[in-house]
Amino acid sequence: MTNAEAARAFDELADLLEIKGEDSFRVNTYRRVARTLGDLAVELTDVAARGELAALPGIGKASAEKIEELLRTGKLALRDEITREVPATLLELLQVQGLGPKKAALLWRERGVTSLAQLKQCIESGGLADLRGFGKKSIDSIRQGISFVESSAGRSRLGWAWGVAQRVAEALRGIPGVTRVEPAGSLRRGCETVGDLDLLCIADDGAAVVDAFTRIAGVEAVLAHGPTKGSIRLTPEAGRSIQVDLRVVPAESFGAAWQYFTGSKQHNVRLRERAVKRGWTLNEYGLSESDGGRVIASRTEEEIYKALRLPWVPPELREDRGELELTEAPTDLLTLEMIRGDLHMHTTASDGKATIAEMAQRAIARGYQYIAITDHSQSSAVAGGLKPDRLLEHIADVRRVARDFPQLTLLAGAEVDILSDRLDYPDELLAQLDWVVASIHFGMGHDIEANTRRALMAIENPYVNVLAHPTGRLINKREAMPLDIDAISRAAARTGTALEINASAYRLDLRDVHARLARDNGATLCIDTDAHAVEQLDQMRFGVLTARRGWLRRQDVLNTRTIDEVRAFVAAKRAAAGGR
Ligand code: DGT
Ligand code: CA
Ligand code: CA
Ligand code: ZN
């Protein structure tokens, strides 16, 4: 069991207790356990093995016993006890934006709602009209939230799916006779959500591999089981499952299978048309002459694309968005290795979990040249936003800590809220920062003009260097606010302001097609993790995948540049404004 899985189990326990109406002290105890486990930098199982659970912050003897029980049995008896009274399906309601345990409890007790489907019925039949705490506006927003959850149902966020695929692939590599395992499908293409996982492998004995595959930890159901193909429903952690398809293919046609099962379907359709025009057939076994004759290419993807007079197309581009018109491989398409720094992250000064020094250490371990510390501004009170005097102290703290890390440049920055008519700090204060991230956190309305006006106001400010998570979407949770990306990226290009690809797997904002539009408009993109804990710095990979899906090259991305070039980017904008 991973740390995240254990954390989730305690979070759900707290949710159930809160719905049940237990006192907040008890609920908070389990929330704290969940947070501690989620933040743990070492493996929980190691801590438990050393008998050191009770030494963790916020974990007493009773909680330590619960954690041990969870690790030993995979579940919590207390949860079973509670769910005899509180239906576990009530947890579905919490996926809806704006519905917390308190409201879920009210819906359950007052209206007998126990599931998302029932809630939907209840709303449609007007059953919530006279329930206290549920005004017309809030009912409307719940209705929208439900349809959003439904439309995203069954699709997992890339970040989570990536971790699961990694572990399944590892397990497969441990099976004797397996010589190669590779991901295919939407995961390999770096899509923001993934329907199911597709894995390919080369092995001597297909049946034995599929057998072992259907018995790996967490298998809930076996959907298909044959000599070269297996399909399972995997539940790697409570309440979250995903289908995994495995195909065992021969080494001599691995390239053809990998190409076929990577997709996308639209890309493959276009590629097949191209083959047919030449009198050939393309399928998962290879590219061959249509009259059942000679195999033209099958061992590698490169050979197949080459035979079709195409450069090898990186998987992230295989969406039928113009990649079949390429005459040569895209040069300098962004890679993770090109990234030299991360310019948006939080520390314990606001709502982050780690100190400035801890973030710096992790950045150095990642091989970065620079980072910007960008804690929240005062209006983000729940996130511990800094009042102006605290910001000044924080700037001094960053500069002091910076002296301990001569190999890394630490920029003193802030994530300043874009309010309805101004920024959350005055210009005099912003002028003292090395780097300014601006973002909208409140009042994201449905009016595209109002939203765009706010974003443009920030872009026009001489001290704002990047517009962060521009559309404010939360994948599978909250839709993007309407925003005129075309206008915003033109303004960004003109003023020398970067647009962010927020690399958090929950955001990936700007998304691929928006990033591509911004680049076409001449805007510079900046890929930031917005990390609130050290390990979140590793989410950079998902931002890079999104950037590649947006066809971004090295020169389009600010944080591939040197620190001097980043400083010049900041200075140029300020100078231009001064000259106006
Ligand atoms: P997903 O799972 O919904 O996130 O998306 P994919 O792209 O992973 O789709 P999936 O798992 O249904 O199939 C994996 C790949 O296999 C897909 O991208 C292309 C290929 N494929 C599967 N079924 C078909 C088909 O009926 N026709 C064609 N041309 N390709 C297919
Ligand atoms: Ca798939
Ligand atoms: Ca599949
Ligand atoms: Zn942030």
Side-chain angles (χ1 to χ4, degrees):
M1 175 167 295
T2 67
N3 295 6
E5 287 160 9
R8 201 180 143 82
F10 279 95
D11 243 338
E12 285 193 356
L13 185 60
D15 287 337
L16 288 166
L17 282 167
E18 198 169 349
I19 294 172
K20 180 162 180 269
E22 283 283 333
D23 68 272
S24 58
F25 177 79
R26 193 148 176 239
V27 172
N28 288 335
T29 301
Y30 293 120
R31 291 246 186 263
R32 207 172 316 120
V33 172
R35 202 163 57 220
T36 300
L37 301 187
D39 292 350
L40 213 55
V42 292
E43 291 299 319
L44 177 61
T45 43
D46 293 344
V47 180
R50 289 198 303 270
E52 292 171 356
L53 285 175
L56 293 172
I59 292 183
K61 190 160 163 293
S63 301
E65 279 168 10
K66 284 244 166 5
I67 298 171
E68 271 164 6
E69 178 199 348
L70 180 65
L71 292 177
R72 201 174 53 242
T73 66
K75 45 190 216 161
L76 295 164
L78 178 59
R79 182 197 159 110
D80 292 346
E81 197 181 301
I82 301 165
T83 50
R84 275 199 286 275
E85 190 185 333
V86 182
T89 43
L90 276 169
L91 293 170
E92 293 170 13
L93 269 49
L94 306 183
Q95 297 169 59
V96 178
Q97 178 76 2
L99 272 190
K102 297 236 161 42
K103 286 200 165 164
L106 211 59
L107 290 166
W108 173 46
R109 292 195 192 280
E110 302 287 326
R111 292 293 181 273
V113 169
T114 60
S115 69
L116 207 53
Q118 282 182 356
L119 174 59
K120 194 173 158 185
Q121 266 180 11
C122 186
I123 289 178
E124 295 323 320
S125 62
L128 295 191
D130 52 350
L131 185 58
R132 74 194 138 88
F134 289 83
K136 185 175 172 317
K137 243 178 119 176
S138 110
I139 293 175
D140 274 348
S141 109
I142 291 172
R143 186 184 288 118
Q144 277 179 13
I146 293 173
S147 68
F148 195 61
V149 169
E150 283 176 343
S151 69
S152 54
R155 297 198 67 84
S156 305
R157 278 184 293 262
L158 175 62
W160 182 77
W162 187 275
V164 175
Q166 216 69 358
R167 276 173 299 191
V168 175
E170 239 6 84
L172 291 172
R173 287 187 187 108
I175 299 171
V178 171
T179 53
R180 185 171 182 188
V181 180
E182 298 286 355
S186 50
L187 183 89
R188 184 174 178 225
R189 302 198 311 278
C191 297
E192 60 197 37
T193 63
V194 168
D196 67 6
L197 294 175
D198 303 280
L199 296 170
L200 296 191
C201 87
I202 302 178
D204 309 331
D205 183 352
V209 174
V210 174
D211 265 347
F213 171 68
T214 58
R215 279 184 272 111
I216 63 175
V219 173
E220 190 185 282
V222 176
L223 311 171
H225 188 167
T228 60
K229 182 178 170 354
S231 186
I232 56 175
R233 179 120 213 116
L234 191 71
T235 305
E237 59 196 73
R240 289 171 96 176
S241 53
I242 189 165
Q243 182 177 324
V244 188
D245 295 343
L246 173 72
R247 289 172 186 87
V248 187
V249 302
E252 56 275 14
S253 62
F254 185 82
W258 206 15
Q259 196 292 314
Y260 181 88
F261 291 111
T262 294
S264 65
K265 288 190 180 91
Q266 298 87 317
H267 174 89
N268 286 0
V269 166
R270 295 290 310 278
L271 205 62
R272 242 186 344 259
E273 285 169 5
R274 215 176 157 100
V276 168
K277 273 198 202 117
R278 287 168 170 73
W280 299 338
T281 304
L282 177 63
N283 57 31
E284 59 194 286
Y285 307 105
L287 179 66
S288 51
E289 289 174 345
S290 292
D291 47 21
R294 193 173 60 93
V295 173
I296 297 155
S298 64
R299 184 170 283 273
T300 68
E301 287 191 339
E302 283 81 353
E303 288 166 36
I304 292 167
Y305 282 99
K306 185 155 181 258
L308 292 167
R309 301 280 174 275
L310 282 168
W312 177 77
V313 178
E316 297 90 340
L317 272 54
R318 299 183 193 171
E319 297 290 349
D320 190 19
R321 293 176 180 164
E323 74 278 11
L324 285 122
E325 279 80 61
L326 286 172
T327 50
E328 52 191 283
T331 48
D332 255 359
L333 189 69
L334 186 76
T335 64
L336 190 56
E337 291 69 37
M338 293 176 187
I339 299 292
R340 288 180 152 145
D342 192 334
L343 294 166
H344 179 173
M345 67 188 66
H346 300 268
T347 70
T348 48
S350 63
D351 59 348
K353 309 268 166 64
T355 62
I356 301 167
E358 286 164 343
M359 296 307 269
Q361 277 153 0
R362 184 67 163 237
I364 291 168
R366 289 188 57 84
Y368 287 160
Q369 286 184 5
Y370 52 85
I371 56 172
I373 302 293
T374 56
D375 280 298
H376 288 287
S377 64
Q378 51 193 343
S379 286
S380 285
V382 285
L386 307 180
K387 298 241 181 297
D389 53 338
R390 266 292 291 135
L391 177 61
L392 291 174
E393 286 170 19
H394 187 47
I395 294 173
D397 285 344
V398 173
R399 303 213 191 289
R400 192 164 34 248
V401 174
R403 280 186 236 126
D404 298 334
F405 299 99
Q407 66 276 56
L408 183 78
T409 300
L410 271 100
L411 299 178
E415 179 175 13
V416 60
D417 271 298
I418 304 170
L419 307 180
S420 60
D421 58 346
R422 65 195 153 83
L423 297 179
D424 197 21
Y425 289 136
D427 282 2
E428 306 81 73
L429 195 52
L430 296 177
Q432 306 202 37
L433 295 162
D434 304 321
W435 176 258
V436 176
V437 176
S439 56
I440 296 180
H441 287 120
F442 318 103
M444 292 176 234
H446 296 295
D447 178 353
I448 185 165
E449 278 169 30
N451 294 337
T452 303
R453 207 177 315 120
R454 274 172 86 185
L456 289 174
M457 171 188 66
I459 288 171
E460 296 292 343
N461 182 291
Y463 301 104
V464 169
N465 304 118
V466 61
L467 180 69
H469 45 75
T471 72
R473 72 162 177 177
L474 294 174
I475 296 174
N476 284 3
K477 205 142 194 170
R478 180 172 75 205
E479 233 157 332
M481 68 175 142
L483 200 62
D484 185 343
I485 304 291
D486 187 50
I488 280 170
S489 49
R490 284 177 200 285
R494 175 172 48 74
T495 56
T497 313
L499 296 178
E500 186 176 75
I501 294 178
N502 192 289
S504 161
Y506 288 90
R507 292 190 182 271
L508 298 178
D509 180 12
L510 293 176
R511 53 175 297 218
D512 49 10
V513 290
H514 284 158
R516 187 167 171 184
L517 170 65
R519 179 203 82 162
D520 289 345
N521 281 341
T524 300
L525 283 295
C526 187
I527 307 176
D528 299 322
T529 60
D530 197 357
H532 285 68
V534 284
E535 67 277 4
Q536 289 175 13
L537 290 170
D538 299 341
Q539 300 221 2
M540 185 59 82
R541 121 171 347 120
F542 306 122
V544 169
L545 285 168
T546 302
R548 287 166 64 85
R549 292 178 58 79
W551 292 50
L552 297 194
R553 301 151 303 180
R554 182 200 296 264
Q555 65 262 38
D556 304 318
V557 178
L558 183 69
N559 50 324
T560 62
R561 302 182 194 165
T562 65
I563 183 60
D564 289 343
E565 288 169 316
V566 172
R567 286 194 193 276
F569 183 83
V570 173
K573 185 177 185 187
R574 292 187 183 194
R580 278 212 291 269

